[in-house]
Amino acid sequence: MHISSFTEYKCFCFALLPCRSVLTVACEQTEVLLFDPISSKHIKTLSEAHEDCVNNIRFLDNRLFATCSDDTTIALWDLRKLNTKVCTLHGHTSWVKNIEYDTNTRLLVTSGFDGNVIIWDTNRCTEDGCPHKKFFHTRFLMRMRLTPDCSKMLISTSSGYLLILHDLDLNKSLEVGSYPILRARRTTSSSDITSSGSSGPRAVGSPCHQNDSGPLSEKHMSRSSQREGGSPRNSLEVLTPEVPGERDRGNCITSLQLHPKGWATLLRCSSNTDDQEWTCVYEFQEGAPVRPVSPRCSLRLTHCIEEANVGRGYIKELCFSPDGRMISSPHGFGIRLLGFDAHCSELVDCLPKEASPLKEIRSLYSHSDVVLTTKFSPTHCQIASGCLSGRVSLYQPKF
Protein backbone atom coordinates (compact mmCIF):
# COMPACT_ATOMS: atom_id res chain seq x y z
CA MET A 1 0.00 0.00 0.00
CA HIS A 2 1.52 3.32 -1.06
CA ILE A 3 0.71 6.73 0.33
CA SER A 4 1.93 9.01 -2.41
CA SER A 5 4.93 10.15 -4.41
CA PHE A 6 6.82 13.41 -3.97
CA THR A 7 9.58 13.25 -6.54
CA GLU A 8 11.27 16.52 -5.57
CA TYR A 9 11.98 15.48 -1.97
CA LYS A 10 14.24 13.03 -0.18
CA CYS A 11 12.65 11.44 2.89
CA PHE A 12 15.05 11.60 5.83
CA CYS A 13 13.01 10.63 8.87
CA PHE A 14 9.60 9.47 10.11
CA ALA A 15 7.81 10.01 13.39
CA LEU A 16 4.51 8.37 14.37
CA LEU A 17 2.23 9.56 17.16
CA PRO A 18 1.03 6.56 19.23
CA CYS A 19 -2.28 7.95 20.47
CA ARG A 20 -3.44 9.52 17.22
CA SER A 21 -3.07 8.45 13.61
CA VAL A 22 -0.41 10.89 12.44
CA LEU A 23 2.67 10.05 10.39
CA THR A 24 5.14 12.93 10.00
CA VAL A 25 7.83 12.91 7.33
CA ALA A 26 11.02 15.02 7.35
CA CYS A 27 12.14 16.01 3.85
CA GLU A 28 15.39 17.14 2.27
CA GLN A 29 14.19 20.62 1.46
CA THR A 30 12.18 22.74 3.90
CA GLU A 31 9.03 20.62 4.18
CA VAL A 32 7.35 18.43 6.78
CA LEU A 33 4.56 16.17 5.49
CA LEU A 34 1.71 14.85 7.63
CA PHE A 35 -0.35 11.76 6.76
CA ASP A 36 -3.03 9.57 8.25
CA PRO A 37 -1.30 6.16 8.08
CA ILE A 38 -4.57 4.25 8.39
CA SER A 39 -6.41 5.86 5.46
CA SER A 40 -3.23 6.89 3.56
CA LYS A 41 -4.64 10.41 3.42
CA HIS A 42 -2.28 13.36 3.04
CA ILE A 43 -3.28 15.71 5.88
CA LYS A 44 -1.00 18.72 5.48
CA THR A 45 2.33 19.97 4.17
CA LEU A 46 4.34 22.42 6.24
CA SER A 47 5.99 23.93 3.18
CA GLU A 48 8.38 26.26 5.00
CA ALA A 49 8.92 24.43 8.26
CA HIS A 50 12.60 25.39 8.12
CA GLU A 51 14.96 27.31 5.88
CA ASP A 52 16.99 24.21 4.97
CA CYS A 53 16.73 20.39 5.03
CA VAL A 54 14.55 18.94 7.79
CA ASN A 55 16.49 16.12 9.45
CA ASN A 56 14.49 14.71 12.32
CA ILE A 57 11.08 14.79 14.02
CA ARG A 58 10.16 13.86 17.58
CA PHE A 59 6.76 13.82 19.30
CA LEU A 60 6.89 15.16 22.86
CA ASP A 61 3.30 14.31 23.82
CA ASN A 62 -0.08 13.83 22.13
CA ARG A 63 0.00 17.22 20.44
CA LEU A 64 3.50 18.73 20.52
CA PHE A 65 6.33 17.70 18.23
CA ALA A 66 9.79 19.05 17.46
CA THR A 67 11.69 19.27 14.17
CA CYS A 68 15.37 20.02 13.55
CA SER A 69 17.14 21.22 10.46
CA ASP A 70 20.34 22.06 8.62
CA ASP A 71 19.38 25.70 9.22
CA THR A 72 20.81 25.10 12.77
CA THR A 73 17.42 25.52 14.51
CA ILE A 74 14.84 23.37 16.26
CA ALA A 75 11.15 24.19 15.93
CA LEU A 76 8.26 23.22 18.22
CA TRP A 77 4.84 22.57 16.67
CA ASP A 78 1.31 22.00 17.96
CA LEU A 79 -0.94 19.63 15.97
CA ARG A 80 -3.93 21.83 16.82
CA LYS A 81 -2.38 24.89 15.17
CA LEU A 82 0.01 23.99 12.39
CA ASN A 83 -0.06 27.34 10.60
CA THR A 84 2.61 28.75 12.92
CA LYS A 85 5.39 27.36 15.07
CA VAL A 86 5.06 27.36 18.83
CA CYS A 87 8.62 28.67 18.92
CA THR A 88 12.05 28.38 17.29
CA LEU A 89 15.08 27.31 19.32
CA HIS A 90 18.49 28.83 18.55
CA GLY A 91 21.71 27.45 20.05
CA HIS A 92 23.46 25.16 17.59
CA THR A 93 26.00 26.53 15.11
CA SER A 94 25.78 23.74 12.51
CA TRP A 95 23.31 21.19 11.13
CA VAL A 96 21.05 19.74 13.85
CA LYS A 97 20.58 16.00 13.37
CA ASN A 98 18.99 14.44 16.46
CA ILE A 99 16.16 15.09 18.91
CA GLU A 100 15.57 13.15 22.14
CA TYR A 101 13.13 13.85 24.96
CA ASP A 102 12.98 12.98 28.67
CA THR A 103 9.27 12.76 29.50
CA ASN A 104 9.94 12.81 33.26
CA THR A 105 11.83 16.11 33.34
CA ARG A 106 10.39 17.52 30.06
CA LEU A 107 13.91 18.25 28.88
CA LEU A 108 14.51 18.28 25.13
CA VAL A 109 17.95 17.01 24.08
CA THR A 110 19.40 17.83 20.64
CA SER A 111 22.70 17.16 18.89
CA GLY A 112 24.32 18.50 15.74
CA PHE A 113 27.38 18.49 13.54
CA ASP A 114 28.83 21.29 15.66
CA GLY A 115 29.61 18.49 18.12
CA ASN A 116 27.29 19.88 20.78
CA VAL A 117 24.57 18.17 22.79
CA ILE A 118 22.20 20.88 24.06
CA ILE A 119 19.50 20.62 26.75
CA TRP A 120 16.29 22.69 26.36
CA ASP A 121 13.89 23.22 29.27
CA THR A 122 10.42 22.97 27.71
CA ASN A 123 8.87 23.63 31.14
CA ARG A 124 9.81 27.29 30.66
CA CYS A 125 9.09 27.68 26.96
CA THR A 126 7.90 31.01 25.56
CA GLU A 127 7.30 32.12 21.99
CA ASP A 128 10.88 33.45 22.07
CA GLY A 129 12.31 29.97 22.81
CA CYS A 130 13.39 27.81 25.76
CA PRO A 131 16.20 28.21 28.30
CA HIS A 132 19.07 26.00 27.18
CA LYS A 133 22.61 24.96 28.05
CA LYS A 134 25.39 23.04 26.40
CA PHE A 135 25.49 19.61 28.02
CA PHE A 136 28.33 17.85 26.20
CA HIS A 137 30.71 18.31 23.28
CA THR A 138 32.69 15.87 21.16
CA ARG A 139 34.30 15.88 17.75
CA PHE A 140 32.88 13.98 14.76
CA LEU A 141 29.43 13.62 16.37
CA MET A 142 26.92 11.78 14.17
CA ARG A 143 23.98 10.53 16.26
CA MET A 144 22.81 10.78 19.88
CA ARG A 145 20.23 8.64 21.71
CA LEU A 146 18.84 8.24 25.23
CA THR A 147 17.95 4.84 26.63
CA PRO A 148 14.21 4.42 27.36
CA ASP A 149 14.75 5.05 31.09
CA CYS A 150 17.12 7.97 30.33
CA SER A 151 19.87 6.36 32.42
CA LYS A 152 22.39 6.44 29.56
CA MET A 153 23.23 8.63 26.60
CA LEU A 154 24.87 7.05 23.55
CA ILE A 155 26.72 9.11 20.96
CA SER A 156 28.13 7.76 17.71
CA THR A 157 30.86 9.41 15.66
CA SER A 158 31.99 9.40 12.06
CA SER A 159 35.38 8.14 13.26
CA GLY A 160 33.88 4.86 14.48
CA TYR A 161 33.66 5.60 18.18
CA LEU A 162 30.67 5.01 20.42
CA LEU A 163 30.51 7.17 23.55
CA ILE A 164 28.35 6.12 26.51
CA LEU A 165 27.48 8.45 29.38
CA HIS A 166 26.49 6.23 32.30
CA ASP A 167 24.15 7.09 35.18
CA LEU A 168 22.96 10.12 33.27
CA ASP A 169 22.17 13.41 34.97
CA LEU A 170 20.87 15.89 32.38
CA ASN A 171 20.83 18.72 34.92
CA LYS A 172 24.62 18.82 35.06
CA SER A 173 26.56 20.39 32.20
CA LEU A 174 29.73 18.60 31.20
CA GLU A 175 32.67 20.78 30.33
CA VAL A 176 35.69 19.14 28.74
CA GLY A 177 37.70 17.35 31.40
CA SER A 178 35.04 17.68 34.12
CA TYR A 179 33.64 14.17 33.72
CA PRO A 180 35.19 10.88 34.84
CA ILE A 181 36.49 8.84 31.90
CA LEU A 182 36.09 5.10 32.15
CA ARG A 183 38.91 3.14 30.56
CA ALA A 184 38.16 3.12 26.85
CA ARG A 185 38.53 0.02 24.72
CA ARG A 186 37.29 -1.86 21.70
CA THR A 187 34.33 -4.20 22.17
CA THR A 188 35.51 -7.67 21.26
CA SER A 189 35.12 -11.31 22.17
CA SER A 190 35.93 -12.51 25.68
CA SER A 191 39.24 -14.02 24.52
CA ASP A 192 40.30 -10.68 23.04
CA ILE A 193 39.38 -8.89 26.26
CA THR A 194 41.64 -11.21 28.23
CA SER A 195 44.57 -10.79 25.88
CA SER A 196 44.26 -7.06 25.26
CA GLY A 197 44.17 -5.97 28.86
CA SER A 198 43.31 -2.29 29.30
CA SER A 199 44.38 -0.95 25.94
CA GLY A 200 42.59 2.20 24.80
CA PRO A 201 41.29 3.23 21.39
CA ARG A 202 43.48 4.31 18.52
CA ALA A 203 44.75 7.85 18.86
CA VAL A 204 43.85 9.03 15.36
CA GLY A 205 40.42 10.64 15.25
CA SER A 206 39.76 10.33 18.96
CA PRO A 207 36.42 12.02 19.71
CA CYS A 208 37.44 13.60 23.01
CA HIS A 209 39.55 16.73 23.28
CA GLN A 210 41.29 15.31 26.31
CA ASN A 211 43.90 12.56 26.00
CA ASP A 212 42.11 9.29 26.79
CA SER A 213 45.17 7.58 28.23
CA GLY A 214 45.18 5.40 31.31
CA PRO A 215 46.73 7.93 33.74
CA LEU A 216 44.11 10.55 32.87
CA SER A 217 41.32 8.03 33.32
CA GLU A 218 42.65 6.96 36.69
CA LYS A 219 43.15 10.56 37.82
CA HIS A 220 39.54 11.50 37.05
CA MET A 221 38.22 8.27 38.51
CA SER A 222 40.15 8.72 41.75
CA ARG A 223 38.79 12.24 42.16
CA SER A 224 35.22 11.18 41.52
CA SER A 225 33.11 9.72 44.26
CA GLN A 226 31.50 6.47 43.20
CA ARG A 227 28.02 5.63 44.35
CA GLU A 228 27.65 2.17 45.83
CA GLY A 229 26.98 -0.41 43.14
CA GLY A 230 27.53 1.88 40.15
CA SER A 231 29.62 4.39 38.25
CA PRO A 232 29.94 8.09 39.04
CA ARG A 233 27.21 10.27 37.56
CA ASN A 234 27.78 11.08 33.87
CA SER A 235 30.88 8.88 33.66
CA LEU A 236 32.10 8.59 30.09
CA GLU A 237 33.02 5.37 28.32
CA VAL A 238 34.60 5.43 24.85
CA LEU A 239 34.31 2.29 22.72
CA THR A 240 35.25 1.24 19.21
CA PRO A 241 32.55 -1.36 18.52
CA GLU A 242 33.60 -4.51 16.76
CA VAL A 243 32.31 -4.63 13.18
CA PRO A 244 32.72 -7.80 11.08
CA GLY A 245 35.35 -7.40 8.39
CA GLU A 246 36.55 -4.09 9.81
CA ARG A 247 39.36 -5.17 12.12
CA ASP A 248 42.03 -3.51 9.97
CA ARG A 249 39.96 -0.61 8.63
CA GLY A 250 38.13 2.25 10.27
CA ASN A 251 34.38 2.63 10.07
CA CYS A 252 31.70 5.28 10.43
CA ILE A 253 28.66 4.70 12.65
CA THR A 254 25.94 6.30 10.56
CA SER A 255 22.75 5.19 12.35
CA LEU A 256 22.18 4.56 16.06
CA GLN A 257 18.99 3.15 17.60
CA LEU A 258 18.12 1.62 20.96
CA HIS A 259 16.08 -1.45 21.87
CA PRO A 260 12.67 -0.35 23.25
CA LYS A 261 13.39 -2.20 26.51
CA GLY A 262 16.90 -0.81 26.80
CA TRP A 263 18.59 -4.20 26.35
CA ALA A 264 20.70 -3.41 23.30
CA THR A 265 21.81 -0.85 20.76
CA LEU A 266 21.46 -1.14 16.99
CA LEU A 267 24.14 0.34 14.72
CA ARG A 268 24.47 0.79 10.98
CA CYS A 269 28.16 1.00 10.14
CA SER A 270 29.96 1.72 6.88
CA SER A 271 33.64 1.27 6.13
CA ASN A 272 35.84 4.29 5.61
CA THR A 273 36.36 3.11 2.05
CA ASP A 274 32.54 3.04 1.70
CA ASP A 275 32.51 -0.43 0.15
CA GLN A 276 30.78 -2.30 3.00
CA GLU A 277 27.80 -1.70 5.28
CA TRP A 278 26.77 -3.71 8.31
CA THR A 279 23.81 -3.78 10.67
CA CYS A 280 25.00 -4.80 14.14
CA VAL A 281 23.27 -5.47 17.47
CA TYR A 282 25.17 -5.01 20.73
CA GLU A 283 23.86 -6.21 24.09
CA PHE A 284 24.35 -3.98 27.12
CA GLN A 285 26.45 -5.76 29.71
CA GLU A 286 25.85 -4.49 33.23
CA GLY A 287 28.64 -5.74 35.46
CA ALA A 288 30.17 -5.03 38.83
CA PRO A 289 31.02 -1.47 39.89
CA VAL A 290 33.79 0.02 37.79
CA ARG A 291 37.25 0.16 39.35
CA PRO A 292 39.80 2.75 38.20
CA VAL A 293 42.39 0.06 37.39
CA SER A 294 40.20 -2.20 35.27
CA PRO A 295 38.77 -1.70 31.75
CA ARG A 296 35.08 -1.45 31.15
CA CYS A 297 33.31 -2.91 28.15
CA SER A 298 29.56 -2.32 28.32
CA LEU A 299 28.62 -3.71 24.91
CA ARG A 300 28.90 -7.15 23.33
CA LEU A 301 28.28 -7.85 19.65
CA THR A 302 25.50 -10.45 19.48
CA HIS A 303 24.11 -10.31 15.91
CA CYS A 304 25.07 -8.75 12.60
CA ILE A 305 24.34 -8.87 8.88
CA GLU A 306 25.96 -7.34 5.83
CA GLU A 307 23.85 -4.81 3.93
CA ALA A 308 23.43 -4.07 0.23
CA ASN A 309 25.70 -0.99 0.25
CA VAL A 310 23.51 0.74 -2.34
CA GLY A 311 23.31 4.53 -2.35
CA ARG A 312 26.79 5.25 -1.09
CA GLY A 313 27.19 8.44 0.88
CA TYR A 314 23.58 8.46 2.15
CA ILE A 315 22.69 7.54 5.73
CA LYS A 316 20.14 4.75 6.10
CA GLU A 317 18.04 4.94 9.26
CA LEU A 318 16.89 1.58 10.64
CA CYS A 319 14.71 0.74 13.66
CA PHE A 320 13.46 -1.85 16.15
CA SER A 321 9.84 -2.98 16.21
CA PRO A 322 7.84 -1.74 19.26
CA ASP A 323 8.31 -5.10 21.03
CA GLY A 324 12.00 -5.27 20.09
CA ARG A 325 11.71 -8.64 18.35
CA MET A 326 12.36 -7.42 14.80
CA ILE A 327 14.53 -4.92 12.97
CA SER A 328 13.48 -3.03 9.86
CA SER A 329 16.51 -2.16 7.76
CA PRO A 330 16.77 -0.23 4.46
CA HIS A 331 18.13 -2.64 1.86
CA GLY A 332 18.63 -1.32 -1.65
CA PHE A 333 15.25 -0.33 -3.11
CA GLY A 334 13.30 -1.86 -0.22
CA ILE A 335 13.52 -2.97 3.40
CA ARG A 336 14.41 -6.20 5.14
CA LEU A 337 12.69 -7.44 8.28
CA LEU A 338 15.32 -9.12 10.44
CA GLY A 339 15.02 -11.26 13.56
CA PHE A 340 17.41 -12.61 16.16
CA ASP A 341 16.24 -16.07 15.10
CA ALA A 342 13.76 -17.46 12.57
CA HIS A 343 10.93 -17.34 15.15
CA CYS A 344 11.31 -13.63 16.04
CA SER A 345 12.21 -14.50 19.62
CA GLU A 346 13.14 -11.96 22.27
CA LEU A 347 16.80 -10.99 22.28
CA VAL A 348 17.25 -12.24 25.86
CA ASP A 349 15.97 -15.69 24.83
CA CYS A 350 18.47 -16.23 22.02
CA LEU A 351 21.75 -14.63 23.05
CA PRO A 352 24.57 -16.51 21.29
CA LYS A 353 27.99 -17.18 22.79
CA GLU A 354 29.55 -15.63 19.71
CA ALA A 355 28.16 -13.11 17.23
CA SER A 356 25.56 -14.74 14.96
CA PRO A 357 23.91 -13.60 11.71
CA LEU A 358 20.57 -11.83 11.92
CA LYS A 359 17.83 -13.88 10.25
CA GLU A 360 15.99 -12.42 7.28
CA ILE A 361 12.26 -12.82 8.01
CA ARG A 362 10.95 -11.07 4.92
CA SER A 363 11.96 -8.54 2.27
CA LEU A 364 9.60 -5.81 1.05
CA TYR A 365 10.38 -3.95 -2.18
CA SER A 366 8.16 -1.22 -3.62
CA HIS A 367 10.49 1.69 -4.35
CA SER A 368 12.26 2.74 -7.53
CA ASP A 369 15.12 4.38 -5.65
CA VAL A 370 17.34 3.78 -2.63
CA VAL A 371 15.44 3.56 0.69
CA LEU A 372 16.86 5.92 3.31
CA THR A 373 14.55 5.51 6.29
CA THR A 374 12.04 3.10 7.81
CA LYS A 375 9.83 3.08 10.90
CA PHE A 376 7.42 0.72 12.65
CA SER A 377 4.05 2.03 13.81
CA PRO A 378 3.96 1.99 17.64
CA THR A 379 0.33 0.80 17.66
CA HIS A 380 -0.48 -0.99 14.38
CA CYS A 381 1.00 -3.80 12.32
CA GLN A 382 2.41 -1.28 9.90
CA ILE A 383 5.80 -0.20 8.56
CA ALA A 384 6.67 2.99 6.70
CA SER A 385 9.61 3.51 4.36
CA GLY A 386 10.89 6.50 2.41
CA CYS A 387 13.32 6.62 -0.50
CA LEU A 388 15.73 8.99 -2.18
CA SER A 389 13.26 10.11 -4.85
CA GLY A 390 10.61 11.01 -2.25
CA ARG A 391 8.19 8.07 -2.37
CA VAL A 392 6.65 7.08 0.95
CA SER A 393 5.29 3.56 1.31
CA LEU A 394 3.22 1.85 3.99
CA TYR A 395 3.26 -1.91 4.48
CA GLN A 396 1.04 -4.26 6.41
CA PRO A 397 3.19 -7.40 6.22
CA LYS A 398 1.68 -10.85 6.46
CA PHE A 399 3.86 -13.69 7.66
Side-chain angles (χ1 to χ4, degrees):
M1 177 175 62
H2 308 299
I3 294 179
S4 189
S5 178
F6 298 85
T7 56
E8 66 269 33
Y9 309 129
K10 296 180 179 69
C11 300
F12 281 167
C13 179
F14 293 136
L16 291 112
L17 179 60
C19 300
R20 296 171 62 181
S21 295
V22 179
L23 168 66
T24 52
V25 182
C27 297
E28 182 195 30
Q29 297 185 10
T30 63
E31 288 75 14
V32 172
L33 311 177
L34 287 86
F35 296 99
D36 180 341
I38 306 302
S39 66
S40 303
K41 181 182 178 182
H42 177 211
I43 300 172
K44 190 175 181 62
T45 296
L46 306 180
S47 58
E48 295 182 0
H50 286 274
E51 296 179 1
D52 207 333
C53 301
V54 185
N55 296 318
N56 210 329
I57 303 174
R58 177 82 181 201
F59 277 99
L60 311 188
D61 54 32
N62 292 338
R63 59 182 179 86
L64 288 175
F65 65 94
T67 59
C68 64
S69 169
D70 284 354
D71 67 6
T72 75
T73 70
I74 301 98
L76 296 184
W77 303 85
D78 191 326
L79 284 174
R80 301 170 301 179
K81 189 181 179 182
L82 290 171
N83 293 328
T84 58
K85 303 173 186 177
V86 174
C87 63
T88 300
L89 309 181
H90 299 271
H92 285 281
T93 57
S94 186
W95 301 347
V96 189
K97 294 296 184 180
N98 254 132
I99 306 172
E100 292 287 284
Y101 186 64
D102 184 347
T103 55
N104 295 320
T105 61
R106 289 179 54 84
L107 294 176
L108 192 71
V109 189
T110 61
S111 67
F113 280 2
D114 55 5
N116 291 326
V117 177
I118 296 180
I119 308 292
W120 311 83
D121 187 356
T122 62
N123 297 292
R124 294 187 288 159
C125 234
T126 68
E127 50 186 39
D128 296 324
C130 300
H132 67 278
K133 63 180 180 181
K134 185 192 296 185
F135 177 72
F136 187 77
H137 178 86
T138 186
R139 293 181 291 174
F140 316 118
L141 189 153
M142 283 290 291
R143 294 290 184 263
M144 174 274 303
R145 301 287 181 191
L146 300 180
T147 53
D149 61 359
C150 294
S151 65
K152 295 181 180 66
M153 177 185 289
L154 279 74
I155 298 171
S156 66
T157 73
S158 59
S159 54
Y161 285 90
L162 187 66
L163 283 61
I164 306 178
L165 285 164
H166 293 273
D167 203 3
L168 191 64
D169 181 1
L170 293 175
N171 292 307
K172 180 181 179 182
S173 294
L174 298 178
E175 300 299 333
V176 173
S178 70
Y179 46 84
I181 302 177
L182 305 181
R183 190 71 65 84
R185 61 168 297 108
R186 182 184 181 93
T187 63
T188 60
S189 64
S190 57
S191 60
D192 289 337
I193 291 174
T194 302
S195 62
S196 61
S198 58
S199 60
R202 60 185 183 277
V204 178
S206 174
C208 298
H209 291 291
Q210 291 278 4
N211 179 1
D212 293 332
S213 62
L216 177 67
S217 303
E218 292 175 17
K219 178 178 70 175
H220 281 285
M221 290 292 291
S222 62
R223 290 180 180 178
S224 302
S225 60
Q226 294 192 29
R227 299 191 309 164
E228 185 177 355
S231 307
R233 300 303 297 268
N234 291 332
S235 54
L236 176 67
E237 180 180 14
V238 184
L239 300 171
T240 49
E242 177 187 6
V243 178
E246 293 299 313
R247 291 185 179 274
D248 300 320
R249 292 187 296 171
N251 65 84
C252 174
I253 303 173
T254 56
S255 180
L256 167 65
Q257 301 291 339
L258 288 168
H259 191 281
K261 296 180 182 178
W263 293 340
T265 183
L266 175 65
L267 304 183
R268 183 74 168 251
C269 303
S270 63
S271 63
N272 283 345
T273 53
D274 212 19
D275 60 348
Q276 278 186 308
E277 277 189 295
W278 291 86
T279 290
C280 301
V281 178
Y282 300 86
E283 171 206 14
F284 280 110
Q285 297 188 112
E286 299 295 347
V290 179
R291 295 173 296 171
V293 295
S294 64
R296 175 168 184 145
C297 184
S298 291
L299 298 178
R300 181 175 74 91
L301 178 64
T302 63
H303 298 83
C304 58
I305 193 168
E306 190 168 6
E307 295 289 359
N309 196 33
V310 177
R312 294 185 181 186
Y314 286 97
I315 295 172
K316 291 91 175 182
E317 297 287 357
L318 64 176
C319 66
F320 278 109
S321 62
D323 60 6
R325 291 172 180 259
M326 282 198 299
I327 295 164
S328 182
S329 172
H331 189 262
F333 289 8
I335 60 174
R336 288 194 298 186
L337 301 182
L338 306 169
F340 304 115
D341 63 13
H343 308 291
C344 295
S345 301
E346 294 268 19
L347 175 61
V348 293
D349 294 331
C350 53
L351 285 173
K353 292 182 179 180
E354 296 182 356
S356 298
L358 288 163
K359 305 297 182 183
E360 185 174 336
I361 307 301
R362 187 171 178 185
S363 295
L364 304 169
Y365 295 99
S366 66
H367 292 275
S368 58
D369 211 333
V370 178
V371 173
L372 299 182
T373 185
T374 179
K375 193 77 172 179
F376 281 92
S377 167
T379 54
H380 299 85
C381 184
Q382 222 171 26
I383 308 167
S385 64
C387 74
L388 192 59
S389 62
R391 188 181 185 88
V392 178
S393 295
L394 279 177
Y395 312 93
Q396 291 180 308
K398 297 179 180 178
F399 301 99

